[in-house]
Amino acid sequence: MFATTLPPFVSTLSNDPDMRELVELFVMELPQKIGVFESLLEDDNWARLKHVSHQLKGSAGGYGFDCVTPFAARVEQAIEGDHPNLELARSRVLELIEVLRRLRA
């Protein structure tokens, strides 16, 4: 893991008193989520990568991180079909991981 110098993505719900604690919990769990993505990528587990990307695509927006949705969708799209482009998929998973590292409550 390495630190990024790019600016963080801050949740659009960070000032919502009803959501703040949930957003903080989501962000605290990100290292585990990143670990899952890295492990699945290392194992070339494309079916599971597609599944967890789809889940993340749906859940991140609910915590005010709409910026994640297009990156997770790009992972899904690269893996879909009978002959997925695995080199492209790998690159897109790495992009998604970088975005996740930039999320802040």
Side-chain angles (χ1 to χ4, degrees):
M1 184 157 63
F2 56 93
T4 181
T5 58
L6 298 172
F9 292 114
V10 178
S11 171
T12 59
L13 299 174
S14 61
N15 292 325
D16 182 332
D18 295 329
M19 289 296 295
R20 184 163 185 78
E21 194 172 316
L22 293 172
V23 171
E24 288 173 357
L25 182 60
F26 180 81
V27 170
M28 284 177 25
E29 293 173 348
L30 285 172
Q32 179 185 7
K33 290 182 191 320
I34 290 168
V36 167
F37 276 97
E38 290 172 334
S39 177
L40 293 172
L41 189 59
E42 185 177 312
D43 293 342
D44 292 327
N45 190 336
W46 300 106
R48 187 82 177 118
L49 275 164
K50 182 178 175 186
H51 179 75
V52 295
S53 295
H54 180 78
Q55 286 181 319
L56 184 63
K57 182 177 77 173
S59 66
Y63 293 98
F65 295 111
D66 295 333
C67 60
V68 172
T69 301
F71 289 94
R74 288 168 42 108
V75 170
E76 275 189 290
Q77 292 164 356
I79 297 171
E80 287 178 345
D82 293 334
H83 303 287
N85 183 336
L86 299 183
E87 186 175 320
L88 178 62
R90 182 175 300 281
S91 172
R92 289 184 174 177
V93 170
L94 293 173
E95 287 175 342
L96 177 58
I97 289 170
E98 242 342 273
V99 168
L100 295 178
R101 287 186 174 135
R102 294 171 58 193
L103 300 185
R104 302 291 182 269

